[in-house]
Amino acid sequence: MMRRAEAAVAALAILAWYGAVWLIVRPLADAPVVDSWIYVRAVHRFIATGQMAFAGFTQAMPVSQVLYGAGWSRLFGAGYASLDLSVVALGAICAFSFYVLVRRCGARHYQALLATGLLAANPCYLFLSFSFMTEVPFLAPFIGSILAFAIADSRRQARWRWLSAGLATVAFMVRPFGGAAIAGCAGAILLRAAPSIRAGRASCAHLGKQLLPYAAALIACAFAWTWLTVLRPEPYYLALAEHQLEFIFDVRAATYFHAGLLEPLLYLGLVLSPLGLPRLFTRDWWRGAAIAAVLFVVAALFVRFDPTASQMPCLSCFGGWTSALVVRPPTYFEWWGYWQLAAIALGSCGAAGLILAAIRAASKMRPAAAAMLIASGLYWVAIPILWLFNDRYDLVLVPVGCILLAMAPMPRSRWPRVASAAMLAALALFSLAGVYEQQRGLAAIRTALDQLEREDVARGRIDAGYPFNGADLYRAGDGKEELSFEAGIPMVTSLAMKEYTIATSPLPGTHIVRRMRWAGFLGIGDRELYVLRRSDAPTIAPAVTGAR
C-alpha cells in the first residue's frame, strides 16, 4: 500500500510540473522547433496519402513517431502546437515510468523522486518535451522496455519480456539506438545466468525462453531497417552519414576523446550535479576531489588549446540560448567569459560524484539496472563513431546516471538532501526559462514573418531561420529528390543571404527594417530580434517600415 501511495505522489508531482510549465509558456507557438518540421511534414503526408516517407534532409526515420502523431492528430489536430503537446504527454509518461524503474532498481522513494526530477527538469529533456522532435518519443519506449524487463524479472512472467522486446522495437522505429535496449536486456539475462552456465547447471531451454523475445525483436528491427533503407528510397542525408563512416579513422584521437568521452561526462556531471555533488561529502571525499581536479585540468587545457573543444560543455538545447532558435547570425553554441570555467568546474565535480556513486552502486546492481547500464554503454560507444556530438544526443545517457546516483547511499546528514532539493529547484527554473524563451522567440519570428508577408514580401525572399525555412520552403518529401533540387533554401541547403533576414543581431551589409522583442535570458527582461534587409536589394516592393 505504501508503494502505491508513493507512486501516486510521484505521478502527481510529474503532472503538476508539466502542468505548471504548460501554463507558464502558453500559448505554445504554432511553429516548428529545430528539426520538428521534418517529422510534422511526414505526419501530414501519412494522413493525406497513407505513405510513410521522409524528406531527404534528415538522418532519422521515426516510423513509430509518425504513426503516433497521426493517431493524435485524428483526435486533437495536426498543427505544430498540437503535436508538441503530444510529446508533452509522452514526456510525462516517460518520467513516471522512469520513477517506477528507479524504484525497481532498489532506490528509496526520496532518492527515486530526486532522480526522476533530474530527468524531468533536465534542460534538454524539458525543452524537447515541448517539440515534435524524436528524443522524447525515443526515450519513452526505451525506458518502458527496461521497465517491462524489470517487472518480468520480478514476476517471472513471459508476457512482460515480450512487452519489453516490443517496446524496444518501437524505440528502434523511432531511432535505431533502440537496438541497444535489446542488447541490454539480453546481456543482463546472460550475466545473471553466467555462474550457472560456468557450473554446468544452466538449462538451455529455460535460457532460450528468456532470450527468445529479444531474438524476435532483433529480427524485426533488422527487417525494419532493410525495409526503410534498402527496399525503399533512402533519404540522401542518411546515405551521406553512412558514407562518412568510411572516414572514422581519419578523425584525430584527441577529437574522439574530448567530444566522445570528456564532453558527455562533463555534461552528465553538470546536469546531474544536484545528486552528484553530495556524493563528494563522504569519508573518501579526497578521491572525489582528485577525480574532479583531473577532469577540470584536462577539460580546461582542451578548451584553451584545441579550437574544436571551445564549446565544451555543450548546452545548445537549452531553449534560452539563441543557438536553439537557429536564426542568423551563425548560431553555434558559445560560452561567455569565465562562465565556461565555472560550468567545467561544476561538471567536473558532478562527474566525480557520479563516478563514486557508480562504484558504490555496483555491489547491489539488479538486472534492470544492469540492462540500462549495458544499453547506455553501447549507446555511448556509438556516439563518437557516428559523430553525434551534441547535448541532445547525450540526453539518452542521463537516465542511467540518475539510476546510479539513486542507488548509491546518500550521506546521512540532512543538509545534503536539502542541498540536492535546492539545486534541483534551481535546475528546474533554469529549464523552465529555456522553454519559455524558446516559445516566445518562435512567436516573435512568426509575427515578423507574417507582417512581412502582409506587406507583399514573397516568402521566398525571407530568411526566417532554419525551422521556418525548412517548414515553408522545403518542397519535396518522398526521399527521391536530389540535393540540387532543394538548393537555395537559406540555412537548410544554402548559406546565401536572402533579401530579408530575421536575425538576433544586425548583420554586415544590411539595414534594420524593424525591431521586435522576445524574452530575455532566464525569462528576465527582454532582448531584440531584428528584421533586416540587404543594403544592395532593389526596391521592388512597398517600403517596409515600422518601429519596435
Side-chain angles (χ1 to χ4, degrees):
M1 183 64 66
M2 180 59 68
R3 287 206 170 189
R4 290 186 179 181
E6 293 170 349
V9 169
L12 288 174
I14 292 168
L15 291 176
W17 166 240
Y18 274 98
V21 175
W22 180 73
L23 288 173
I24 291 172
V25 304
R26 66 177 302 199
L28 296 181
D30 189 21
V33 176
V34 194
D35 289 328
S36 68
W37 60 272
I38 295 174
Y39 314 119
V40 172
R41 178 186 295 270
V43 170
H44 292 169
R45 185 182 182 91
F46 182 77
I47 293 174
T49 67
Q51 296 179 347
M52 188 67 67
F54 297 92
F57 199 80
T58 180
Q59 294 184 21
M61 295 178 287
V63 173
S64 301
Q65 182 176 340
V66 170
L67 294 175
Y68 171 73
W72 178 279
S73 299
R74 298 290 186 186
L75 298 174
F76 305 108
Y80 285 108
S82 175
L83 289 172
D84 288 351
L85 284 175
S86 75
V87 180
V88 171
L90 288 179
I93 293 171
C94 180
F96 180 72
S97 299
F98 183 68
Y99 166 81
V100 179
L101 173 60
V102 177
R103 290 287 280 148
R104 287 188 170 272
C105 288
R108 295 180 177 180
H109 170 64
Y110 177 76
Q111 292 180 229
L113 274 180
L114 285 178
T116 303
L118 276 182
L119 177 64
N122 178 278
C124 185
Y125 185 87
L126 189 68
F127 168 60
L128 294 174
S129 289
F130 284 80
S131 76
F132 200 65
M133 294 284 283
T134 60
E135 281 74 17
V136 173
F138 166 76
L139 271 177
F142 183 85
I143 289 176
S145 173
I146 306 297
L147 174 58
F149 173 79
I151 297 174
D153 183 66
S154 63
R155 296 187 180 181
R156 301 290 192 269
Q157 294 176 342
R159 67 173 183 267
W160 287 102
R161 283 193 292 272
W162 283 101
L163 177 60
S164 171
L167 288 172
T169 306
V170 171
F172 180 90
M173 296 295 286
V174 178
R175 287 190 163 205
F177 297 123
I182 298 173
C185 295
I189 291 172
L190 292 173
L191 280 177
R192 184 175 54 186
S196 298
I197 294 174
R198 286 194 296 266
R201 299 191 306 268
S203 169
C204 293
H206 178 67
L207 186 60
K209 287 181 180 179
Q210 290 182 308
L211 294 174
L212 178 60
Y214 301 103
L218 186 62
I219 294 172
C221 291
F223 173 80
W225 181 255
T226 302
W227 174 64
L228 288 169
T229 61
V230 178
L231 302 181
R232 296 169 60 86
E234 185 176 14
Y236 53 73
Y237 262 58
L238 179 60
L240 177 61
E242 293 172 344
H243 176 68
Q244 288 176 336
L245 293 178
E246 300 174 8
F247 305 103
I248 288 176
F249 299 105
D250 294 339
V251 180
R252 295 183 310 144
T255 299
Y256 282 133
F257 175 79
H258 78 71
L261 178 62
L262 185 58
E263 196 283 329
L265 187 59
L266 289 177
Y267 171 81
L268 290 176
L270 194 60
V271 299
L272 300 180
S273 57
L275 274 181
L277 282 181
R279 296 311 197 283
L280 298 181
F281 296 93
T282 58
R283 292 180 180 177
D284 55 351
W285 61 270
W286 55 273
R287 294 182 181 177
I291 295 172
V294 170
L295 289 175
F296 177 81
V297 170
V298 172
L301 289 174
F302 265 106
V303 169
R304 176 66 177 83
F305 296 107
D306 190 339
T308 64
S310 62
Q311 303 173 25
M312 185 170 59
C314 183
L315 281 180
S316 63
C317 274
F318 165 66
W321 263 284
T322 53
S323 59
L325 278 178
V326 200
V327 293
R328 295 180 191 262
T331 51
Y332 56 88
F333 175 80
E334 55 185 346
W335 285 97
W336 304 319
Y338 289 104
W339 283 108
Q340 183 175 26
L341 290 179
I344 291 174
L346 181 58
S348 299
C349 293
L354 175 61
I355 292 171
L356 292 180
I359 295 172
R360 293 164 185 158
S363 61
K364 57 177 184 178
M365 188 78 64
R366 296 187 180 181
M372 178 64 86
L373 190 61
I374 294 170
S376 300
L378 291 173
Y379 177 84
W380 197 339
V381 169
I383 286 178
I385 295 176
L386 298 176
W387 304 348
L388 302 177
F389 303 137
N390 186 273
D391 52 325
R392 67 189 180 98
Y393 297 109
D394 298 341
L395 175 63
V396 181
L397 299 173
V398 170
V400 71
C402 292
I403 288 176
L404 293 173
L405 288 167
M407 289 172 56
M410 286 278 284
R412 294 185 177 181
S413 58
R414 179 176 299 180
W415 76 263
R417 297 189 177 190
V418 175
S420 291
M423 292 178 66
L424 178 58
L427 180 66
L429 290 175
F430 180 82
S431 302
L432 169 60
V435 177
Y436 176 77
E437 294 168 51
Q438 173 75 11
Q439 293 294 324
R440 298 290 71 78
L442 290 173
I445 294 173
R446 171 58 72 189
T447 299
L449 181 59
D450 291 346
Q451 188 164 354
L452 283 174
E453 290 186 308
R454 284 195 300 269
E455 294 165 347
D456 295 327
V457 178
R459 180 65 184 87
R461 295 161 57 194
I462 307 169
D463 176 359
Y466 169 78
F468 286 92
N469 293 342
D472 298 338
L473 303 179
Y474 193 91
R475 300 176 298 278
D478 57 7
K480 299 179 181 178
E481 68 280 358
E482 297 294 334
L483 182 60
S484 59
F485 181 69
E486 294 297 344
I489 302 176
M491 299 190 75
V492 178
T493 59
S494 171
L495 294 178
M497 184 175 294
K498 290 289 186 178
E499 181 179 351
Y500 290 90
T501 301
I502 299 173
T504 57
S505 64
L507 299 172
T510 68
H511 64 269
I512 299 173
V513 173
R514 184 178 297 111
R515 292 179 172 89
M516 302 189 71
R517 295 192 176 276
W518 64 300
F521 184 65
L522 294 180
I524 301 172
D526 52 32
R527 48 188 157 179
E528 291 184 330
L529 281 171
Y530 298 84
V531 178
L532 308 173
R533 192 179 186 208
R534 275 203 337 259
S535 300
D536 62 350
T539 306
I540 58 176
V544 180
T545 60
R548 58 183 175 182

